[in-house]
Amino acid sequence: MIKKVLIANRGEIAVRIVRACAEMGIRSVAIYTEPDRYALHLKRADESYSLGADPLAGYLDPLRLVNLALETGCDAIHPGYGFLSENAEFARLCEEAGVIFIGPKSTVIHSMGDKTQARDSMRAAGVPITPGSDGNLKDIDEALTLAEEIGYPVMIKATSGGGGRGIRRCDSATELRQQYPRVISEATKAFGSADVFMEKCIVNPRHIEVQILADSQGDVIHLYERDCSIQRRNQKLIEIAPSPSLTPEQREYIGGLAVRAAEAVGYENAGTVEFLLTGNEVYFMEMNTRVQVEHTITEQITGVDIVREQLRIASGLPLSYRQEDISYRGFALQFRINAEDPKNDFLPSFGRISHYYAPGGPGVRVDTAIYTGYDIPPYFDSMCMKLICWALTWEEVIARGRRALDDMRLRGVKTTGTYYQQILNHPDFQRGEFDTSFVPSHPELLNYSEKALPKEIALALAAAIAAHAGL
Ligand code: ADP
Ligand code: ADP
Ligand code: MG
């Protein structure tokens, strides 16, 4: 069994991994850069090491992190999500140094991280893929010819893309000519690769993804699906498990497809297979070879601790469950509480959290690394908290979400919290009738006002009086 883990990440996911380690008697090592000097993840871990003044360089230096793992006596590295989590070179350096990378083999990360290679593997395995190019596009002429064949609208996508970036929809040849160079330049800047490919744009699809677990013995199971259709700019905002709109047959079928996809590439550890759904059509979109931000809701409905399973699998142990042991109960919602201003095009809103009170009560889980007085640094992702609600029925989980969002106090920065209340109150959402067009097609939901809370007004008054009295 793994004895000591270096956590190559920060924020809530680093805290999440520390928690799993603590429950399993595994020692944890945190890393941080200067802006994270007062971050919670390093206070919660057993040991912590500074990686210098640059906000990002330390978190993104594979060789340095592998060496640090060796120096600190760690036998494994957990990469979390984002940062180096899908960096095949990082996994390869771990393999060479004899440090366990908590994830799949570097060759698998490499082949699934490249979206066109992933499409090839899935085609070969008989998993339906979105119609599109065979491999990367050579030039704009090839793109124009192919788009005529497939039919507009089409998507131009960065082959190494992630985080919703490097994806553009084109509704006509004119738009394709405009967008093609833009995606190339965005891909080069964000992902260091100019490779792009084409997919048919599936109009108003649902984003349905399946959580899988695979051990080193070759056993693969799925933990059912999540519906992540509530997105802005191809990025998830609210995630739901299970999807309120799948039939039992669709659920079995898509779960089976995900297992087949993982088996086809010799997958090991936790992963997610993402699909687009329209009517009865299902298309493979991509595989994320890491723990996902929204793994929490699957944990809530199945009771399986996914990070614990990751640590067990990486230790060479067989899966704790067979497929027939996995069942789900009720519904879970995850709200990504981002430090952003929804009214201002979701512009990041960094700064000091003047007042934080965590929601609680039955069926409420909070995964975060913030606290009152914490300064949200401007260098990282704007997601500062995950609010997860569980209840036995869809109606109850919506009511619980509303109540928990109302309980939450997070002041000093703008957040997406109140906007999510608006979504929960929409009848289409309540009926489970939504797809990826929900957010863009309901701009009116942005017309709300943040209510001033009596207690906070009292608090502000007290502070003003104290300041006036020179206390
Ligand atoms: P998930 O797929 O787990 O739902 P996201 O797509 O939101 O999560 O990505 C999680 C984090 O990882 C975000 O901070 C996102 O910006 C980052 N990320 C994901 N993929 C990449 C990538 N290929 N390059 C850079 N950052 C990425
Ligand atoms: P990332 O690696 O950034 O997560 P994905 O390929 O998973 O990129 O796509 C992110 C989102 O973009 C999807 O959830 C979906 O909303 C939208 N999208 C991607 N490809 C298509 C497509 N072919 N048709 C329609 N929507 C798409
Ligand atoms: Mg994706």
Side-chain angles (χ1 to χ4, degrees):
M1 190 70 200
I2 289 169
K3 292 194 177 59
K4 191 172 175 185
V5 174
L6 182 122
I7 302 168
N9 217 297
R10 64 179 297 281
E12 70 84 20
I13 192 63
V15 175
R16 170 70 188 87
I17 297 162
V18 169
R19 287 180 169 144
C21 290
E23 289 179 17
M24 297 171 81
I26 296 171
R27 284 184 69 77
S28 55
V29 173
I31 55 166
Y32 64 99
T33 62
E34 188 56 30
D36 271 340
R37 169 182 288 272
Y38 301 106
L40 200 64
H41 72 278
L42 52 125
K43 298 181 186 166
R44 292 290 293 108
D46 294 316
E47 296 169 28
S48 62
Y49 295 90
S50 165
L51 291 173
D54 189 279
L56 279 163
Y59 291 121
L60 296 173
D61 187 339
L63 195 57
R64 183 141 179 228
L65 293 175
V66 175
N67 286 332
L68 184 64
L70 292 171
E71 283 159 26
T72 55
C74 289
D75 41 11
I77 294 184
H78 197 306
Y81 57 70
F83 288 150
L84 298 174
S85 60
E86 294 183 277
N87 184 306
E89 176 63 10
F90 185 37
R92 198 185 58 79
L93 285 173
C94 287
E95 287 159 10
E96 275 177 5
V99 175
I100 298 169
F101 178 83
I102 301 173
K105 297 265 170 299
S106 60
T107 46
V108 174
I109 298 178
H110 182 77
S111 65
M112 290 314 249
D114 180 307
K115 291 186 183 183
T116 53
Q117 267 194 47
R119 283 166 59 83
D120 287 344
S121 310
M122 291 306 111
R123 199 188 287 113
V127 175
I129 58 172
T130 321
S133 52
D134 293 329
N136 297 318
L137 292 166
K138 279 193 288 295
D139 50 32
I140 180 69
D141 291 329
E142 189 194 3
L144 286 163
T145 312
L146 190 63
E148 288 302 329
E149 262 172 51
I150 298 174
Y152 289 95
V154 296
M155 296 287 220
I156 299 295
K157 298 174 69 166
T159 304
S160 316
R165 286 175 305 163
I167 302 176
R168 302 260 180 150
R169 172 179 165 151
C170 312
D171 284 69
S172 63
T174 315
E175 274 186 30
L176 180 53
R177 282 181 204 281
Q178 282 167 355
Q179 302 292 10
Y180 185 80
R182 287 191 192 150
V183 181
I184 291 183
S185 112
E186 202 174 353
T188 312
K189 272 190 219 121
F191 312 114
S193 155
D195 292 341
V196 299
F197 68 107
M198 183 183 292
E199 273 181 13
K200 183 171 182 60
C201 176
I202 309 300
V203 179
N204 304 344
R206 274 176 291 148
H207 172 119
I208 304 284
E209 59 182 39
V210 179
Q211 175 71 53
I212 63 110
L213 292 174
D215 65 19
S216 55
Q217 279 79 17
D219 282 321
V220 184
I221 62 171
H222 71 81
L223 304 183
Y224 295 97
E225 83 284 356
R226 298 183 282 257
D227 187 323
C228 310
S229 302
I230 303 295
Q231 310 181 346
R232 64 110 209 317
R233 289 190 224 118
N234 307 319
Q235 290 173 343
K236 301 157 188 168
L237 292 175
I238 302 177
E239 297 108 337
I240 305 157
S243 170
S245 50
L246 284 195
T247 63
E249 293 73 35
Q250 285 177 315
R251 177 162 293 126
E252 288 309 316
Y253 174 63
I254 204 164
L257 279 184
V259 168
R260 196 195 302 172
E263 282 171 349
V265 295
Y267 198 82
E268 191 181 321
N269 216 285
T272 301
V273 188
E274 296 190 334
F275 298 93
L276 290 177
L277 236 90
T278 174
N280 233 348
E281 303 290 322
V282 180
Y283 302 105
F284 167 87
M285 186 166 51
E286 66 156 343
M287 180 164 194
N288 291 134
T289 56
R290 55 174 163 88
V291 69
Q292 266 186 307
V293 175
E294 60 274 22
H295 73 280
T296 56
I297 50 176
T298 300
E299 295 185 324
Q300 296 314 112
I301 62 162
T302 61
V304 175
D305 181 331
I306 292 170
V307 179
R308 178 188 174 88
E309 285 306 305
Q310 286 196 290
L311 290 158
R312 286 177 48 93
I313 292 166
S315 300
L317 295 171
L319 288 172
S320 308
Y321 312 90
R322 289 161 305 180
Q323 188 66 59
E324 54 270 32
D325 300 328
I326 304 296
S327 60
Y328 62 90
R329 194 157 183 251
F331 283 93
L333 295 175
Q334 174 174 279
F335 304 95
R336 294 194 189 196
I337 308 296
N338 297 342
E340 291 172 1
D341 182 3
K343 288 169 171 295
N344 195 357
D345 204 19
F346 294 91
L347 195 77
S349 167
F350 301 111
R352 174 157 302 177
I353 295 175
S354 57
H355 186 169
Y356 170 64
Y357 171 78
V364 175
R365 163 177 173 181
V366 174
D367 279 24
T368 187
I370 63 165
Y371 49 84
T372 297
Y374 176 69
D375 267 308
I376 302 180
Y379 313 104
F380 312 107
D381 209 72
S382 55
M383 189 187 74
C384 64
M385 168 181 174
K386 305 194 302 202
L387 169 56
I388 301 113
C389 296
W390 176 89
L392 271 177
T393 65
W394 175 240
E395 290 71 26
E396 279 175 276
V397 84
I398 291 177
R400 185 158 281 167
R402 224 189 252 136
R403 189 271 295 164
L405 285 164
D406 211 41
D407 268 359
M408 181 177 83
R409 298 286 181 276
L410 205 171
R411 299 290 182 264
V413 295
K414 298 227 164 48
T415 79
T416 44
T418 309
Y419 174 60
Y420 295 154
Q421 298 268 21
Q422 298 276 103
I423 295 179
L424 292 185
N425 286 336
H426 197 284
D428 287 349
F429 184 84
Q430 292 174 359
R431 279 196 296 267
E433 286 168 13
F434 49 81
D435 54 45
T436 60
S437 71
F438 183 88
V439 167
S441 59
H442 290 291
E444 79 283 1
L445 296 182
L446 290 164
N447 297 328
Y448 60 86
S449 50
E450 298 280 359
K451 59 179 174 199
L453 294 144
K455 268 204 195 122
E456 275 151 77
I457 295 170
L459 208 83
L461 274 175
I465 292 165
H468 189 71
L471 295 172

